[in-house]
């Protein structure tokens, strides 16, 4: 019971998180309800990362999740809604670069709780397909013109005429958004909302766009174009001083009084109703979303007065009055599956049947109308083909960049595993390095043993010289020829090669080669000390060469093999020199 209580409390906190963060922004200090509503919905849009999802990507997500074939009044549960939102945000992360990835789980949780709180306030756990489409198409990113064209395709009949009942249903769903952010008294739904927007009976696409994109738009939807203007001016800079707060620069909107000369306010001061001097809040203010220098204003005024530029531009391009097929982006998908192919076949069959019906009806029309419709359809098909090719190129480029990024981000060992030749070379170099280390260790041991033997031989020579000096009664250094001519007894071989002399000179010769014993027994005067020192120097040089070889292993296999040959030649010469000078073998 305790765990269930903690889970329910956590769920309540998550549901209220977005609204608590919105209240912390203190949007309620904004004086005008239109700006207040637009700022709140813009905050929800950015906090849920919906501003990163273009309307065309949203339409494609509807189609991928099978919503295009469902009836508008069909209901979906919260679990399926969560699945749809997951596909939307995971696809978004695939399009974004790695440095701009979003927290998918957090975005899904915030948006899911907002949708449920907006469209399922009674807790039924279900909402209609049309409500979800209307909400997501309104709150996602993209141009308002594209959004309105998609909305019109959902509320019009096969002849391209708006169905008032469907538009009324759209207003019911979309006006729940201001109510969800506590602006229901200003922009709530009423039964007269439809007629206040469209008093005439027949509404086509261009008329629909003219009304909703007019300045001003219908009162119930005045916040919708303002939300898009807010998104466009968030990073606009105006190098003008605010007449109230004296800020030397403005970001966002700039408002200029039409009565007070040179009086301008930043958006923060205007939204909060600040005024100073002779200016009053009752004065008419003009909203500016960009900055023009005085020189540009003068040239614009001259061009306008001389008639070099049109007096006014249409708010949107004029579209053909023929009925448009629903903009579900079924032709832009590159991934294919059996279910998707079946759905495409059904759509193609429906479209073919519609074309056949239009062809049968066109026989009763004048030839001029037939040619006009044919040209319009041909232009539409050409435009669709161009968009499909461009979309295909963009998807291929995205896939190529993703593969290059993944290959570049792989660590070096994985790259080595993908290259067998490089891996074989690395193994060979490691083997050579281990072999050199073992040989150097053996040479160090042999050098140590040789130095021990040299030390014993030096002591033996010194003792022998002292003995000869005592017998002859001369100085140890006076007659080197006599000291070298004495005969030496045979050594005792029971001692180790590395032992040091203790009592007799024979102990120092234990383990020494036969050539040295013959030299001492026969009394042949030889410069054995110099020969041994030369042998020791040769071993030291060989050791230095091997150390250099060991450090140069990483530079390449060819250099290492060359050094190995030099090392073998030096060791071979050292062996021959040892045999000539009677040094112990190693």
């Amino acid at each position: 019971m305790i765990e269930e209580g903690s889970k329910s409390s956590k769920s309540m906190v998550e549901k209220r998180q977005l609204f608590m963060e919105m209240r912390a922004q203190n949007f309620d200090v904004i004086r005008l309800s239109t700006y207040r509503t637009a700022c709140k919905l813009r905050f929800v849009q950015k906090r849920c990362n919906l501003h990163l999802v273009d309307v065309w990507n949203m339409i494609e997500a509807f189609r991928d999740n099978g919503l295009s074939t469902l009836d508008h009044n069909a209901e979906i549960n919260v679990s399926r809604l969560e699945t749809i939102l997951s596909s939307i945000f995971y696809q978004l992360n695939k399009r974004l670069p790695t440095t701009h990835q979003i927290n998918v789980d957090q975005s899904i949780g915030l948006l899911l709780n907002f949708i449920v709180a907006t469209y399922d306030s009674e807790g039924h756990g279900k909402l209609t397909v049309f409500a979800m489409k209307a909400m997501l198409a309104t709150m996602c990113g993209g141009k308002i013109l594209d959004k309105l064209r998609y909305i019109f395709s959902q509320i019009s009949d096969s002849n391209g005429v708006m169905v008032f009942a469907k538009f009324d249903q759209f207003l019911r769903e979309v006006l729940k958004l201001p109510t969800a952010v506590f602006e229901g008294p200003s922009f709530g739904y009423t039964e007269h909302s439809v007629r206040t927007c469209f008093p005439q009976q027949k509404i086509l696409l261009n008329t629909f766009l003219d009304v909703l994109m007019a300045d001003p738009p219908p009162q119930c939807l005045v916040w919708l174009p303002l939300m898009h203007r807010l998104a466009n001016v968030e990073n606009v800079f105006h190098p003008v001083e605010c007449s109230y707060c004296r800020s030397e620069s403005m970001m966002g909107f700039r408002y200029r009084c039409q009565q007070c000369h040179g009086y301008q306010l930043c958006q923060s001061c205007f939204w909060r109703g600040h005024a100073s001097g002779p200016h009053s809040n009752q004065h008419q203010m003009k909203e500016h979303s960009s900055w023009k220098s005085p020189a540009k204003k003068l040239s614009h005024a001259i061009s306008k007065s001389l008639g070099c530029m049109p007096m006014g531009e249409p708010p949107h391009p004029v579209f053909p009055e023929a009925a448009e097929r629903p903009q579900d982006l079924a032709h832009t998908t590159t991934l294919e599956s059996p279910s998707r192919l079946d759905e495409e076949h059904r759509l193609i069959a429906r479209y073919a049947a519609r074309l056949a019906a239009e062809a049968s009806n066109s026989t009763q029309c004048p030839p001029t109308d037939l040619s006009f419709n044919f040209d319009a359809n041909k232009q539409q098909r050409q435009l669709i083909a161009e968009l499909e090719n461009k979309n295909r190129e963009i998807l291929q480029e995205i896939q190529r960049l993703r593969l290059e990024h993944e290959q570049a981000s792989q660590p070096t060992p994985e790259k080595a595993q993908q290259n067998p030749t490089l891996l074989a070379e690395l193994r060979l170099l490691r083997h050579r390095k281990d072999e050199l280390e073992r040989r150097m260790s053996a040479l160090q041991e042999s050098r140590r043993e040789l130095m021990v033997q040299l030390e014993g031989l030096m002591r033996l020579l010194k003792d022998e010289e002292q003995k000869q000096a005592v017998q002859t009664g001369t100085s140890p250094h006076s007659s080197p020829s006599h000291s070298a001519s004495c005969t030496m007894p045979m050594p005792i071989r029971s001692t180790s090669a590395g032992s040091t002399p203790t009592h007799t000179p024979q102990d120092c010769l234990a383990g020494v080669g036969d050539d040295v014993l013959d030299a001492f027994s026969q009394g042949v005067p030889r410069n054995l000390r110099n020969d041994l020192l030369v042998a020791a120097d040769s071993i030291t040089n060989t050791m230095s060469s091997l150390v250099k070889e060991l450090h140069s292993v990483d530079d390449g296999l060819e250099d290492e093999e060359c050094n190995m040959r030099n090392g073998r030649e030096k060791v071979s010469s050292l062996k021959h020199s040892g045999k000539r000078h009677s040094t112990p073998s190693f």
Side-chain angles (χ1 to χ4, degrees), residues 222-294:
V222 68
W223 52 269
L224 181 58
L226 179 57
M227 186 177 70
H228 288 80
R229 296 204 306 272
L230 279 174
N232 295 330
V233 302
E234 284 181 347
N235 298 318
V236 174
F237 174 77
H238 304 270
V240 182
E241 182 183 31
C242 178
S243 300
Y244 182 83
C245 66
R246 299 302 175 183
S247 176
E248 297 181 356
S249 60
M250 301 182 188
M251 294 294 293
F253 286 122
R254 174 172 55 91
Y255 298 89
R256 187 181 184 89
C257 182
Q258 301 298 298
Q259 299 181 21
C260 304
H261 177 71
Y263 193 90
Q264 301 186 84
L265 293 176
C266 63
Q267 67 177 19
S268 178
C269 294
F270 176 75
W271 289 354
R272 286 160 176 78
H274 296 317
S276 61
H279 177 71
S280 171
N281 290 330
Q282 304 301 322
H283 291 180
Q284 185 179 2
M285 302 290 287
K286 185 176 181 180
E287 179 186 281
H288 294 273
S289 58
S290 62
W291 163 255
K292 292 183 180 179
S293 62

Side-chain angles (χ1 to χ4, degrees), residues 39-270:
C39 288
K40 289 181 179 180
L41 292 177
R42 174 62 177 170
F43 172 79
V44 173
Q45 182 190 47
K46 295 179 65 176
R47 187 66 182 86
C48 297
N49 289 314
L50 277 176
H51 67 295
L52 302 175
V53 183
D54 192 80
V55 60
W56 300 110
N57 300 125
M58 189 64 72
I59 298 171
E60 184 178 1
F62 294 159
R63 188 258 180 195
D64 290 341
N65 288 276
L67 299 179
S68 301
T69 58
L70 294 179
D71 186 78
H72 284 175
N73 296 322
E75 293 184 341
I76 59 174
N77 53 25
V78 177
S79 61
R80 185 172 182 185
L81 174 61
E82 185 176 4
T83 302
I84 296 171
L85 298 181
S86 300
S87 66
I88 292 173
F89 286 112
Y90 278 112
Q91 290 296 326
L92 171 63
N93 250 2
K94 291 181 180 180
R95 296 189 297 268
L96 294 176
T98 54
T99 55
H100 293 75
Q101 298 288 300
I102 65 171
N103 189 336
V104 175
D105 295 335
Q106 186 182 36
S107 301
I108 294 172
L110 291 175
L111 183 56
L112 180 64
N113 290 327
F114 179 75
I115 294 176
V116 171
T118 304
Y119 294 98
D120 188 29
S121 58
E122 297 180 359
H124 297 300
K126 293 182 180 180
L127 69 158
T128 62
V129 173
F130 185 75
M132 189 193 64
K133 283 185 176 182
M135 183 271 172
L136 293 178
T138 304
M139 293 295 292
C140 68
K143 298 180 180 180
I144 186 174
L145 177 64
D146 298 332
K147 294 182 180 181
L148 294 177
R149 288 183 62 194
Y150 172 73
I151 292 170
F152 185 82
S153 68
Q154 301 297 307
I155 62 176
S156 59
D157 57 14
S158 59
N159 296 321
V161 180
M162 187 187 76
V163 180
F164 277 84
K166 292 184 177 180
F167 179 70
D168 182 76
Q169 184 182 3
F170 167 73
L171 287 182
R172 287 177 183 270
E173 303 300 342
V174 78
L175 292 180
K176 290 180 181 179
L177 294 172
T179 305
V181 294
F182 314 107
E183 297 296 334
S186 301
F187 301 105
Y189 171 80
T190 61
E191 296 179 355
H192 305 286
S193 299
V194 176
R195 290 302 174 186
T196 56
C197 295
F198 300 103
Q200 60 269 41
Q201 295 294 327
K202 186 177 181 180
I203 305 299
L204 301 177
L205 174 60
N206 291 316
T207 307
F208 181 80
L209 297 177
D210 289 338
V211 172
L212 294 187
M213 297 185 66
D215 187 16
Q219 179 60 30
C220 60
L221 295 174
V222 68
W223 52 269
L224 181 58
L226 179 57
M227 186 177 70
H228 288 80
R229 296 204 306 272
L230 279 174
N232 295 330
V233 302
E234 284 181 347
N235 298 318
V236 174
F237 174 77
H238 304 270
V240 182
E241 182 183 31
C242 178
S243 300
Y244 182 83
C245 66
R246 299 302 175 183
S247 176
E248 297 181 356
S249 60
M250 301 182 188
M251 294 294 293
F253 286 122
R254 174 172 55 91
Y255 298 89
R256 187 181 184 89
C257 182
Q258 301 298 298
Q259 299 181 21
C260 304
H261 177 71
Y263 193 90
Q264 301 186 84
L265 293 176
C266 63
Q267 67 177 19
S268 178
C269 294
F270 176 75

Side-chain angles (χ1 to χ4, degrees), residues 265-415:
L265 293 176
C266 63
Q267 67 177 19
S268 178
C269 294
F270 176 75
W271 289 354
R272 286 160 176 78
H274 296 317
S276 61
H279 177 71
S280 171
N281 290 330
Q282 304 301 322
H283 291 180
Q284 185 179 2
M285 302 290 287
K286 185 176 181 180
E287 179 186 281
H288 294 273
S289 58
S290 62
W291 163 255
K292 292 183 180 179
S293 62
K296 288 185 178 181
K297 291 181 181 179
L298 179 61
S299 62
H300 185 272
I302 294 174
S303 300
K304 187 175 181 180
S305 62
L306 295 178
C308 299
M309 59 182 302
M311 298 299 293
E313 296 182 357
H316 64 84
V318 179
F319 297 96
E321 298 295 345
E324 292 187 343
R325 63 178 180 178
Q327 302 170 9
D328 58 359
L329 290 185
H331 53 280
T332 62
T333 308
T334 58
L335 301 177
E336 295 184 356
S337 62
S339 60
R340 181 172 299 175
L341 290 175
D342 295 339
E343 183 179 306
E344 288 179 355
H345 292 162
R346 289 195 298 269
L347 291 174
I348 292 172
R350 290 172 57 188
Y351 186 68
R354 183 181 300 177
L355 290 177
E358 292 177 357
S360 62
N361 295 331
S362 63
T363 56
Q364 303 175 359
C365 299
T368 56
D369 296 339
L370 177 62
S371 61
F372 176 79
N373 292 335
F374 178 79
D375 293 337
N377 291 334
K378 183 177 180 181
Q379 293 178 359
Q380 289 180 356
R381 287 195 297 270
Q382 291 177 353
L383 179 61
I384 291 172
E386 292 175 0
L387 292 176
E388 287 177 350
N389 294 331
K390 186 177 296 185
N391 182 71
R392 193 179 299 110
E393 293 175 358
I394 292 174
L395 291 176
Q396 291 177 356
E397 183 68 15
I398 291 174
Q399 184 67 18
R400 184 183 64 81
L401 293 175
R402 186 182 294 116
L403 291 176
E404 290 180 358
H405 176 73
E406 292 177 355
Q407 292 176 0
S409 61
Q410 287 180 354
T412 303
E414 295 182 1
K415 292 182 180 179

Side-chain angles (χ1 to χ4, degrees), residues 31 36 430:
R31 180 171 56 98
R36 190 168 59 245
R430 291 193 189 100

